[in-house]
Amino acid sequence: MSLLEERRDPELQRCLLGILEAIDRVCREHRLRYYLIAGTCLGAIRHKGFIPWDDDADVGMPRPDYDVLIAHASEWLPEGYELVSGETDPRYPYFFARIQDARTTYVLRRQFDFVGGLPVDLYPLDGMTGSPLRRWWHYVRLSHAKKLLYFCLVDPYKHGHGPRSWLPLLVRRLHSPASLHQRLRRLLTEFGYDESSLVADHDYKYPKGVFPKEVFGQPLAVPFEDTELTTVAQPDSYLRQLYGNYMELPKTLPPQNYRLLDLEKPYREFTDEPARTSSR
């Protein structure tokens, strides 16, 4: 079996495509900008769809559009889909939101006490200062806040009892998940999107995740599987900054993103009983 076919899961990708199409419909209807980003943008350009072995999908939205979708997702998304974020559930362990298929069950690879449906990651794209010193200080504080949220929500005993559990337990005593989500939002929105000439995808460390705003620009329609979605205005510049020679196939595959996946069982019915995992 070739690398292109290894670990392919058509059923999982079909479910992800359904979420992407729901996002596309909502954004078109309400005139919101969105972009396929990261590996999903790479798949769109290199494969005209998903990277064959991908088991996730990534979408970015300018902060003003992102906040509108966060506020109205419960009324705008089609039945069966829902948005989850730190604002809707403090136990949610990331600074970005996810739109998930509530008819499925998805358990994160990391040892967090959070169960949801198969998700598409939804990242806010924020403004960034042109000052190198202020950028450095921004990322120092952001990295610290991300680590605090991780230790606040990760299973403190994932490596067993003893000294390795002390730091997560201490962070839990000093911070609440809700307060850390609020701190992260303040940091992420420190520089206004509309006023900035740079855009930051805070999932990446500086400088990889900071782009000239024109790289994102007006969303560009591209073929994706059997439909058409939108990505960044300058995909070549974007992908070269993230991946270098992005048309070259990798020699090894990244790890699977989840511990458990059941595409037939709603996550609200999840138990610790063994579930059908997606085939590989």
Side-chain angles (χ1 to χ4, degrees):
M1 181 181 292
S2 72
L3 180 63
L4 282 174
E5 296 300 322
E6 188 176 346
R7 223 176 68 185
R8 177 188 285 271
D9 190 332
E11 188 178 359
L12 179 151
Q13 291 182 351
R14 177 185 56 78
C15 289
L16 288 175
L17 183 60
I19 304 172
L20 289 171
E21 289 176 324
I23 295 171
D24 178 75
R25 286 195 297 273
V26 167
C27 288
R28 289 180 187 276
E29 181 177 350
H30 298 283
R31 298 188 177 183
L32 303 177
R33 295 163 291 179
Y34 82 89
Y35 309 95
L36 302 180
I37 59 171
T40 313
C41 174
L42 175 58
I45 301 305
R46 192 172 68 191
H47 302 279
K48 309 301 180 188
F50 290 105
I51 297 173
W53 53 87
D54 249 2
D55 57 13
D56 65 355
D58 302 299
V59 167
M61 297 183 71
R63 173 64 69 172
D65 303 70
Y66 176 90
D67 283 345
V68 170
L69 182 57
I70 294 288
H72 295 281
S74 61
E75 57 190 284
W76 288 350
L77 286 172
E79 184 178 358
Y81 298 114
E82 60 188 24
L83 184 142
V84 62
S85 69
E87 287 92 340
T88 62
D89 187 343
R91 296 172 304 142
Y92 178 74
Y94 299 118
F95 72 87
F96 54 88
R98 281 179 161 169
I99 293 181
Q100 60 187 17
D101 187 332
R103 299 161 294 191
T104 66
T105 299
Y106 181 92
V107 180
L108 303 167
R109 181 162 54 90
R110 289 180 169 180
Q111 301 292 324
F112 292 120
D113 182 24
F114 183 84
V115 177
L118 178 69
V120 166
D121 293 340
L122 185 67
Y123 291 92
L125 302 171
D126 286 294
M128 180 50 55
T129 176
S131 165
L133 181 59
R134 294 182 70 192
R135 273 202 302 270
W136 171 81
W137 181 232
H138 171 86
Y139 275 92
V140 167
R141 290 176 293 146
L142 183 65
S143 176
H144 179 65
K146 284 181 179 180
K147 288 176 182 177
L148 287 176
L149 182 64
Y150 170 81
F151 286 121
C152 191
L153 291 173
V154 75
D155 177 5
Y157 304 113
K158 70 170 187 164
H159 296 301
H161 294 260
R164 298 186 74 175
S165 68
W166 296 349
L167 180 56
L169 291 171
L170 176 62
V171 171
R172 288 184 175 198
R173 290 182 66 87
L174 296 176
H175 301 278
S176 71
S179 69
L180 291 173
H181 278 297
Q182 291 170 3
R183 181 189 297 190
L184 279 165
R185 179 178 173 86
R186 287 195 299 270
L187 285 168
L188 294 168
T189 59
E190 185 173 13
F191 308 107
Y193 183 89
D194 291 331
E195 298 78 32
S196 300
S197 60
L198 299 174
V199 172
D201 176 349
H202 284 105
D203 196 43
Y204 293 95
K205 295 180 179 180
Y206 176 73
K208 181 175 282 191
V210 177
F211 301 85
K213 185 179 278 185
E214 58 266 22
V215 170
F216 285 87
Q218 185 65 25
L220 174 70
V222 291
F224 194 90
E225 299 297 335
D226 59 356
T227 188
E228 187 177 81
L229 303 174
T230 65
T231 190
V232 299
Q234 299 178 15
D236 181 68
S237 298
Y238 173 80
L239 292 171
R240 287 190 183 280
Q241 180 164 321
L242 290 184
Y243 304 114
N245 181 12
Y246 60 88
M247 296 302 289
E248 181 179 355
L249 295 176
K251 294 181 173 57
T252 60
L253 298 183
Q256 186 171 278
N257 278 300
Y258 55 85
R259 283 188 285 134
L260 181 148
L261 173 68
D262 192 325
L263 297 177
E264 299 171 354
K265 185 174 184 178
Y267 75 90
R268 290 185 176 87
E269 300 175 11
F270 172 76
T271 68
D272 290 329
E273 299 172 359
R276 183 188 66 80
T277 58
S278 182
S279 60
R280 284 289 182 254

